[in-house]
Amino acid sequence: MALMAAWKAACGASGTVTLLIPPGTYYIGPTKFHGPCKASAITFLLQGTLKAATDLRRFGNDWIEFGWVKDLTVAGQNNAIINGQGAASWPFNKCPIRKDCKVLPISVLFVNNQNTVVRDIKSVNSKFFHIALLQSKNMKLINIQINAPENSPNTDGIHIERSTGVVISDTRISTGDDCISIGQGSDNIDIARVHCGPGHGMSIGSLGRYVDEGDVTRVHVRNMTFVGTMNGVRIKTWENSPTKSLAAHMLFENMVMKDVQNPIIIDQKYCPYYDCEHKHVSGVTLKDITFKNIKGTSSMPVAVLLRCGVPCQGVVLQDVDLKYMGEGGSSSKCENAMATYVGYQHPEPCA
Protein backbone atom coordinates (compact mmCIF):
# COMPACT_ATOMS: atom_id res chain seq x y z
CA MET A 1 0.00 0.00 0.00
CA ALA A 2 2.86 2.39 0.82
CA LEU A 3 4.44 1.71 -2.57
CA MET A 4 1.16 2.33 -4.36
CA ALA A 5 0.62 5.58 -2.46
CA ALA A 6 4.12 6.74 -3.44
CA TRP A 7 3.47 5.84 -7.09
CA LYS A 8 0.16 7.72 -7.06
CA ALA A 9 1.93 10.82 -5.73
CA ALA A 10 4.79 10.52 -8.24
CA CYS A 11 2.50 9.88 -11.19
CA GLY A 12 0.28 12.84 -10.25
CA ALA A 13 3.10 15.34 -9.72
CA SER A 14 4.27 17.67 -12.46
CA GLY A 15 7.74 17.83 -13.99
CA THR A 16 10.36 15.10 -13.58
CA VAL A 17 9.89 12.93 -10.52
CA THR A 18 11.92 10.23 -8.72
CA LEU A 19 10.25 7.53 -6.62
CA LEU A 20 12.93 6.17 -4.29
CA ILE A 21 12.79 2.77 -2.59
CA PRO A 22 15.58 2.94 -0.01
CA PRO A 23 17.81 0.04 1.10
CA GLY A 24 15.97 -2.78 2.83
CA THR A 25 13.89 -5.83 1.92
CA TYR A 26 10.25 -5.31 0.98
CA TYR A 27 7.77 -8.17 0.67
CA ILE A 28 5.04 -7.29 -1.82
CA GLY A 29 2.19 -9.05 -3.55
CA PRO A 30 1.01 -8.22 -7.08
CA THR A 31 1.49 -4.49 -7.68
CA LYS A 32 0.52 -2.34 -10.68
CA PHE A 33 2.26 0.94 -11.48
CA HIS A 34 -0.07 2.38 -14.09
CA GLY A 35 -0.33 5.67 -15.99
CA PRO A 36 -1.06 7.77 -17.80
CA CYS A 37 0.85 10.15 -15.55
CA LYS A 38 0.90 13.91 -15.21
CA ALA A 39 4.65 13.78 -14.58
CA SER A 40 6.71 14.42 -17.71
CA ALA A 41 9.21 11.70 -16.67
CA ILE A 42 9.40 9.28 -13.75
CA THR A 43 12.42 7.46 -12.33
CA PHE A 44 11.60 4.38 -10.24
CA LEU A 45 14.83 4.05 -8.25
CA LEU A 46 15.31 0.80 -6.35
CA GLN A 47 18.09 0.66 -3.75
CA GLY A 48 16.81 -2.38 -1.88
CA THR A 49 15.28 -5.79 -2.56
CA LEU A 50 11.71 -6.51 -3.59
CA LYS A 51 10.56 -10.00 -2.61
CA ALA A 52 7.45 -11.61 -4.08
CA ALA A 53 4.73 -13.28 -2.08
CA THR A 54 4.79 -17.06 -2.56
CA ASP A 55 1.04 -17.82 -2.38
CA LEU A 56 0.06 -18.30 -6.02
CA ARG A 57 -3.62 -17.65 -5.22
CA ARG A 58 -2.80 -13.96 -4.82
CA PHE A 59 -1.53 -13.56 -8.39
CA GLY A 60 -2.94 -12.99 -11.83
CA ASN A 61 -0.61 -12.89 -14.85
CA ASP A 62 2.22 -10.95 -13.24
CA TRP A 63 3.79 -9.66 -10.05
CA ILE A 64 5.11 -6.14 -10.85
CA GLU A 65 3.48 -4.34 -13.75
CA PHE A 66 4.41 -1.00 -15.30
CA GLY A 67 1.75 0.07 -17.76
CA TRP A 68 0.64 3.02 -19.90
CA VAL A 69 3.54 5.21 -18.81
CA LYS A 70 5.70 7.48 -20.99
CA ASP A 71 9.33 8.37 -20.27
CA LEU A 72 9.83 5.92 -17.42
CA THR A 73 13.22 4.87 -16.04
CA VAL A 74 13.45 1.83 -13.78
CA ALA A 75 16.94 1.85 -12.25
CA GLY A 76 18.79 0.01 -9.53
CA GLN A 77 21.51 1.12 -7.14
CA ASN A 78 23.41 -0.69 -4.35
CA ASN A 79 22.87 -4.14 -5.92
CA ALA A 80 19.10 -3.74 -6.26
CA ILE A 81 17.33 -7.11 -6.54
CA ILE A 82 13.88 -8.18 -7.71
CA ASN A 83 13.37 -11.63 -6.18
CA GLY A 84 10.42 -13.61 -7.54
CA GLN A 85 10.85 -16.39 -4.93
CA GLY A 86 9.94 -18.85 -7.67
CA ALA A 87 11.27 -22.11 -6.22
CA ALA A 88 8.07 -22.77 -4.26
CA SER A 89 6.00 -22.33 -7.45
CA TRP A 90 8.05 -24.24 -10.03
CA PRO A 91 6.59 -27.67 -9.11
CA PHE A 92 3.11 -26.31 -10.04
CA ASN A 93 4.22 -25.37 -13.57
CA LYS A 94 2.89 -27.97 -16.02
CA CYS A 95 3.55 -25.89 -19.17
CA PRO A 96 6.54 -27.95 -20.36
CA ILE A 97 4.25 -30.99 -20.68
CA ARG A 98 0.68 -29.65 -21.09
CA LYS A 99 -0.70 -27.28 -23.73
CA ASP A 100 -3.63 -26.14 -21.56
CA CYS A 101 -1.49 -25.31 -18.54
CA LYS A 102 -2.08 -22.54 -16.03
CA VAL A 103 0.58 -19.91 -16.64
CA LEU A 104 2.45 -18.67 -13.56
CA PRO A 105 3.04 -14.94 -12.94
CA ILE A 106 5.75 -13.00 -14.78
CA SER A 107 8.07 -11.13 -12.39
CA VAL A 108 8.10 -7.75 -14.18
CA LEU A 109 5.78 -6.86 -17.07
CA PHE A 110 6.05 -3.67 -19.12
CA VAL A 111 2.85 -3.13 -21.09
CA ASN A 112 1.91 -0.22 -23.36
CA ASN A 113 4.84 1.96 -22.36
CA GLN A 114 6.77 4.45 -24.49
CA ASN A 115 10.39 5.58 -24.07
CA THR A 116 11.42 3.33 -21.19
CA VAL A 117 14.89 2.68 -19.78
CA VAL A 118 15.57 -0.26 -17.45
CA ARG A 119 19.10 -0.43 -16.07
CA ASP A 120 21.33 -1.83 -13.32
CA ILE A 121 18.71 -4.26 -12.00
CA LYS A 122 19.12 -7.89 -10.92
CA SER A 123 16.20 -10.34 -11.25
CA VAL A 124 16.41 -13.70 -9.48
CA ASN A 125 14.21 -16.80 -9.28
CA SER A 126 11.18 -15.60 -11.19
CA LYS A 127 8.08 -17.80 -10.99
CA PHE A 128 7.73 -17.62 -14.80
CA PHE A 129 9.42 -15.12 -17.17
CA HIS A 130 11.77 -12.65 -15.45
CA ILE A 131 10.97 -9.61 -17.64
CA ALA A 132 8.38 -9.30 -20.41
CA LEU A 133 7.78 -6.39 -22.80
CA LEU A 134 4.33 -6.22 -24.34
CA GLN A 135 3.05 -3.61 -26.80
CA SER A 136 5.84 -1.24 -25.85
CA LYS A 137 7.75 1.29 -27.97
CA ASN A 138 11.34 2.45 -27.61
CA MET A 139 12.69 0.44 -24.69
CA LYS A 140 16.29 0.17 -23.55
CA LEU A 141 17.47 -2.53 -21.14
CA ILE A 142 21.07 -1.98 -20.02
CA ASN A 143 23.20 -3.91 -17.53
CA ILE A 144 20.53 -6.37 -16.42
CA GLN A 145 21.56 -9.44 -14.39
CA ILE A 146 19.18 -12.42 -14.50
CA ASN A 147 19.60 -15.60 -12.45
CA ALA A 148 17.55 -18.76 -11.94
CA PRO A 149 18.58 -22.43 -11.79
CA GLU A 150 19.10 -24.33 -15.04
CA ASN A 151 16.17 -26.66 -14.21
CA SER A 152 13.63 -23.89 -13.41
CA PRO A 153 10.75 -24.14 -15.94
CA ASN A 154 9.75 -21.29 -18.29
CA THR A 155 12.00 -18.77 -16.58
CA ASP A 156 12.78 -16.89 -19.82
CA GLY A 157 15.11 -13.99 -19.11
CA ILE A 158 13.62 -11.26 -21.33
CA HIS A 159 10.59 -11.90 -23.54
CA ILE A 160 9.56 -9.36 -26.20
CA GLU A 161 6.16 -9.36 -27.88
CA ARG A 162 4.29 -6.88 -30.10
CA SER A 163 6.97 -4.31 -29.33
CA THR A 164 9.08 -2.02 -31.51
CA GLY A 165 12.40 -0.26 -31.03
CA VAL A 166 13.87 -2.47 -28.29
CA VAL A 167 17.57 -2.35 -27.32
CA ILE A 168 19.14 -4.87 -24.92
CA SER A 169 22.84 -4.49 -24.09
CA ASP A 170 25.60 -5.39 -21.63
CA THR A 171 23.55 -8.01 -19.86
CA ARG A 172 24.17 -11.44 -18.24
CA ILE A 173 21.46 -14.10 -18.19
CA SER A 174 21.61 -17.52 -16.50
CA THR A 175 18.24 -19.24 -16.38
CA GLY A 176 16.14 -22.34 -17.08
CA ASP A 177 14.64 -21.32 -20.44
CA ASP A 178 15.42 -18.89 -23.27
CA CYS A 179 17.82 -16.12 -22.25
CA ILE A 180 15.99 -13.80 -24.67
CA SER A 181 12.89 -14.67 -26.70
CA ILE A 182 11.36 -12.48 -29.39
CA GLY A 183 7.69 -13.23 -29.91
CA GLN A 184 5.19 -12.28 -32.58
CA GLY A 185 4.54 -8.73 -33.76
CA SER A 186 8.01 -7.41 -32.88
CA ASP A 187 10.03 -5.03 -35.07
CA ASN A 188 13.39 -3.24 -34.91
CA ILE A 189 15.08 -5.22 -32.11
CA ASP A 190 18.78 -4.62 -31.34
CA ILE A 191 20.68 -6.92 -28.97
CA ALA A 192 24.39 -6.53 -28.17
CA ARG A 193 26.95 -7.88 -25.68
CA VAL A 194 24.79 -10.38 -23.86
CA HIS A 195 26.21 -13.40 -22.01
CA CYS A 196 23.82 -16.37 -22.00
CA GLY A 197 24.20 -19.57 -20.02
CA PRO A 198 22.97 -21.79 -18.69
CA GLY A 199 19.65 -21.61 -20.50
CA HIS A 200 17.99 -22.46 -23.81
CA GLY A 201 19.74 -19.74 -25.84
CA MET A 202 18.44 -16.83 -27.90
CA SER A 203 15.15 -17.51 -29.66
CA ILE A 204 12.97 -15.97 -32.32
CA GLY A 205 9.63 -17.51 -31.39
CA SER A 206 8.00 -19.70 -30.97
CA LEU A 207 5.88 -18.32 -33.83
CA GLY A 208 2.89 -19.55 -35.78
CA ARG A 209 0.88 -21.12 -32.99
CA TYR A 210 -2.04 -18.68 -32.69
CA VAL A 211 -4.47 -16.84 -34.98
CA ASP A 212 -3.45 -13.44 -36.41
CA GLU A 213 0.10 -13.31 -35.14
CA GLY A 214 2.12 -10.29 -36.27
CA ASP A 215 5.34 -10.46 -38.29
CA VAL A 216 8.78 -10.39 -36.68
CA THR A 217 11.10 -8.10 -38.66
CA ARG A 218 14.42 -6.23 -38.43
CA VAL A 219 16.27 -8.12 -35.71
CA HIS A 220 20.00 -7.45 -35.19
CA VAL A 221 21.81 -9.58 -32.62
CA ARG A 222 25.57 -9.19 -32.17
CA ASN A 223 28.46 -9.98 -29.83
CA MET A 224 26.68 -12.61 -27.77
CA THR A 225 28.40 -15.42 -25.86
CA PHE A 226 26.65 -18.72 -25.14
CA VAL A 227 28.09 -21.07 -22.51
CA GLY A 228 26.67 -24.57 -21.98
CA THR A 229 23.29 -23.64 -23.42
CA MET A 230 20.78 -25.94 -25.15
CA ASN A 231 20.74 -23.67 -28.22
CA GLY A 232 22.73 -20.76 -29.53
CA VAL A 233 20.67 -18.79 -32.03
CA ARG A 234 17.30 -20.44 -32.71
CA ILE A 235 14.29 -19.64 -34.87
CA LYS A 236 11.34 -21.83 -33.90
CA THR A 237 7.92 -21.98 -35.56
CA TRP A 238 4.98 -24.36 -35.13
CA GLU A 239 3.49 -26.55 -37.81
CA ASN A 240 -0.26 -26.37 -38.55
CA SER A 241 -0.30 -22.57 -38.10
CA PRO A 242 -3.86 -21.15 -38.14
CA THR A 243 -2.76 -18.02 -40.06
CA LYS A 244 0.24 -16.97 -42.13
CA SER A 245 3.00 -14.61 -40.96
CA LEU A 246 6.55 -13.53 -41.76
CA ALA A 247 9.87 -13.63 -39.90
CA ALA A 248 12.39 -11.61 -41.91
CA HIS A 249 15.38 -9.28 -42.13
CA MET A 250 17.52 -10.74 -39.35
CA LEU A 251 21.26 -10.57 -38.79
CA PHE A 252 23.02 -12.66 -36.14
CA GLU A 253 26.74 -11.81 -36.06
CA ASN A 254 29.88 -12.19 -33.98
CA MET A 255 28.68 -15.01 -31.73
CA VAL A 256 30.86 -17.20 -29.53
CA MET A 257 29.55 -20.69 -28.69
CA LYS A 258 31.10 -22.68 -25.86
CA ASP A 259 29.82 -26.25 -25.50
CA VAL A 260 26.38 -25.46 -27.00
CA GLN A 261 24.07 -28.31 -28.08
CA ASN A 262 22.57 -26.59 -31.16
CA PRO A 263 24.65 -23.51 -32.03
CA ILE A 264 22.66 -22.54 -35.17
CA ILE A 265 19.13 -23.88 -35.51
CA ILE A 266 16.09 -23.12 -37.61
CA ASP A 267 13.26 -25.41 -36.52
CA GLN A 268 9.97 -25.04 -38.41
CA LYS A 269 8.66 -28.24 -36.85
CA TYR A 270 8.87 -26.94 -33.31
CA CYS A 271 6.74 -28.85 -30.81
CA PRO A 272 7.82 -29.48 -27.21
CA TYR A 273 5.07 -32.05 -26.55
CA TYR A 274 4.98 -35.80 -27.15
CA ASP A 275 1.88 -35.89 -29.36
CA CYS A 276 2.61 -33.57 -32.27
CA GLU A 277 0.57 -33.47 -35.45
CA HIS A 278 2.47 -33.04 -38.69
CA LYS A 279 -0.50 -32.25 -40.93
CA HIS A 280 0.57 -28.92 -42.43
CA VAL A 281 3.88 -27.09 -42.79
CA SER A 282 4.41 -24.01 -40.66
CA GLY A 283 2.55 -20.90 -41.82
CA VAL A 284 5.54 -18.70 -40.97
CA THR A 285 7.69 -17.70 -43.96
CA LEU A 286 11.37 -17.16 -43.15
CA LYS A 287 13.14 -14.60 -45.31
CA ASP A 288 16.48 -12.74 -45.42
CA ILE A 289 18.24 -14.32 -42.43
CA THR A 290 22.04 -14.11 -42.05
CA PHE A 291 24.32 -15.92 -39.60
CA LYS A 292 27.76 -14.26 -39.74
CA ASN A 293 31.03 -14.91 -37.91
CA ILE A 294 29.76 -17.61 -35.56
CA LYS A 295 32.53 -19.57 -33.85
CA GLY A 296 33.14 -22.01 -31.06
CA THR A 297 32.25 -25.53 -29.96
CA SER A 298 29.16 -27.70 -30.22
CA SER A 299 28.37 -30.37 -27.62
CA MET A 300 26.41 -32.39 -30.24
CA PRO A 301 27.56 -33.56 -33.70
CA VAL A 302 24.97 -31.51 -35.66
CA ALA A 303 26.21 -27.96 -35.18
CA VAL A 304 24.06 -26.38 -37.92
CA LEU A 305 20.43 -27.49 -38.29
CA LEU A 306 18.29 -25.70 -40.88
CA ARG A 307 14.87 -27.37 -40.84
CA CYS A 308 12.54 -25.22 -42.94
CA GLY A 309 8.88 -25.93 -43.73
CA VAL A 310 8.06 -24.09 -46.92
CA PRO A 311 11.51 -23.34 -48.34
CA CYS A 312 13.35 -20.60 -46.45
CA GLN A 313 14.24 -17.59 -48.60
CA GLY A 314 17.60 -15.88 -48.41
CA VAL A 315 19.28 -17.79 -45.58
CA VAL A 316 23.01 -16.92 -45.59
CA LEU A 317 25.80 -18.48 -43.52
CA GLN A 318 29.02 -16.48 -43.59
CA ASP A 319 32.25 -17.44 -41.81
CA VAL A 320 30.99 -20.22 -39.56
CA ASP A 321 33.48 -22.28 -37.51
CA LEU A 322 31.82 -24.70 -35.09
CA LYS A 323 33.78 -27.71 -33.84
CA TYR A 324 32.37 -30.84 -32.20
CA MET A 325 34.83 -32.19 -29.67
CA GLY A 326 33.62 -35.80 -29.97
CA GLU A 327 34.31 -38.43 -32.61
CA GLY A 328 33.56 -37.67 -36.25
CA GLY A 329 33.55 -33.90 -35.98
CA SER A 330 30.64 -31.53 -36.54
CA SER A 331 28.07 -31.73 -39.34
CA SER A 332 25.20 -29.80 -40.94
CA LYS A 333 21.64 -30.96 -41.51
CA CYS A 334 19.12 -29.20 -43.77
CA GLU A 335 15.53 -29.47 -45.00
CA ASN A 336 14.19 -27.00 -47.58
CA ALA A 337 16.80 -24.48 -46.48
CA MET A 338 18.13 -23.27 -49.86
CA ALA A 339 20.98 -21.61 -47.97
CA THR A 340 23.83 -19.58 -49.44
CA TYR A 341 27.32 -20.05 -48.02
CA VAL A 342 29.99 -17.34 -47.95
CA GLY A 343 33.56 -17.54 -46.63
CA TYR A 344 34.89 -20.22 -44.30
CA GLN A 345 32.47 -23.03 -43.39
CA HIS A 346 32.94 -25.65 -40.71
CA PRO A 347 30.98 -27.91 -40.57
CA GLU A 348 30.72 -28.44 -44.30
CA PRO A 349 27.53 -27.01 -45.85
CA CYS A 350 24.60 -29.28 -46.62
CA ALA A 351 24.92 -30.95 -50.01
Side-chain angles (χ1 to χ4, degrees):
M1 297 300 286
L3 250 182
M4 292 308 303
W7 174 261
K8 196 172 176 184
C11 184
S14 51
T16 58
V17 185
T18 298
L19 188 163
L20 174 66
I21 301 175
T25 299
Y26 306 88
Y27 290 88
I28 60 170
T31 310
K32 297 189 188 309
F33 302 105
H34 281 182
C37 290
K38 185 181 173 187
S40 57
I42 296 182
T43 298
F44 183 99
L45 185 57
L46 177 63
Q47 294 180 335
T49 296
L50 299 179
K51 273 196 172 177
T54 52
D55 183 355
L56 282 176
R57 290 171 299 186
R58 294 182 60 183
F59 291 89
N61 292 330
D62 54 57
W63 170 35
I64 297 167
E65 181 177 302
F66 293 96
W68 295 269
V69 185
K70 287 183 179 177
D71 299 294
L72 168 70
T73 298
V74 177
Q77 286 179 340
N78 308 341
N79 193 29
I81 295 173
I82 294 174
N83 185 343
Q85 300 222 96
S89 307
W90 296 328
F92 298 104
N93 182 350
K94 305 297 182 217
C95 292
I97 51 173
R98 287 185 54 177
K99 280 185 185 177
D100 57 346
C101 60
K102 178 170 174 24
V103 170
L104 298 187
I106 293 165
S107 268
V108 186
L109 175 67
F110 293 90
V111 57
N112 278 299
N113 298 299
Q114 284 185 37
N115 308 330
T116 307
V117 176
V118 186
R119 58 179 169 83
D120 310 326
I121 292 274
K122 185 173 187 179
S123 171
V124 301
N125 296 340
S126 55
K127 292 176 171 65
F128 204 64
F129 297 172
H130 287 264
I131 296 170
L133 319 179
L134 185 61
Q135 286 174 303
S136 291
K137 283 183 183 171
N138 299 334
M139 289 206 59
K140 287 185 178 171
L141 293 89
I142 305 157
N143 188 30
I144 310 296
Q145 310 279 328
I146 289 175
N147 283 93
E150 191 170 0
N151 62 352
S152 55
N154 296 109
T155 51
D156 293 45
I158 300 169
H159 179 71
I160 303 164
E161 196 158 311
R162 298 203 298 277
S163 295
T164 59
V166 177
V167 175
I168 301 171
S169 66
D170 304 293
T171 284
R172 289 185 74 90
I173 303 173
S174 307
T175 194
D177 209 301
D178 292 335
C179 288
I180 297 172
S181 53
I182 301 175
Q184 56 100 1
S186 298
D187 174 62
N188 192 18
I189 312 295
D190 193 296
I191 297 167
R193 299 179 302 280
V194 174
H195 182 281
C196 170
H200 291 186
M202 151 90 222
S203 279
I204 309 293
S206 60
L207 305 174
R209 185 176 181 183
Y210 301 109
V211 175
D212 294 333
E213 289 190 10
D215 298 341
V216 176
T217 47
R218 297 193 297 164
V219 176
H220 188 190
V221 184
R222 61 192 192 278
N223 304 102
M224 274 188 79
T225 303
F226 299 85
V227 179
T229 53
M230 183 185 289
N231 307 287
V233 180
R234 172 168 61 157
I235 300 172
K236 51 180 176 175
T237 78
W238 292 77
E239 295 178 292
N240 312 314
S241 310
T243 47
K244 294 197 181 311
S245 62
L246 179 71
H249 316 307
M250 303 185 187
L251 172 59
F252 305 94
E253 63 178 337
N254 306 335
M255 307 281 183
V256 176
M257 309 283 170
K258 295 179 182 174
D259 205 30
V260 173
Q261 284 182 37
N262 305 292
I264 297 174
I265 174 168
I266 291 175
D267 184 4
Q268 291 214 268
K269 294 181 178 176
Y270 174 73
C271 178
Y273 308 115
Y274 296 114
D275 52 339
C276 299
E277 289 188 325
H278 301 292
K279 283 184 184 169
H280 306 287
V281 294
S282 178
V284 183
T285 298
L286 302 187
K287 198 172 180 179
D288 180 22
I289 295 163
T290 298
F291 303 95
K292 180 180 176 184
N293 191 29
I294 298 185
K295 299 184 170 154
T297 55
S298 170
S299 63
M300 303 288 272
V302 179
V304 177
L305 174 60
L306 308 175
R307 183 191 282 158
C308 299
V310 293
C312 291
Q313 302 170 28
V315 172
V316 177
L317 280 81
Q318 180 176 349
D319 298 322
V320 173
D321 186 4
L322 295 166
K323 294 178 174 65
Y324 171 56
M325 304 323 278
E327 281 183 35
S330 59
S331 62
S332 304
K333 195 173 174 184
C334 307
E335 291 174 29
N336 295 328
M338 322 285 281
T340 301
Y341 297 89
V342 180
Y344 184 82
Q345 297 293 327
H346 184 88
E348 282 189 16
C350 293

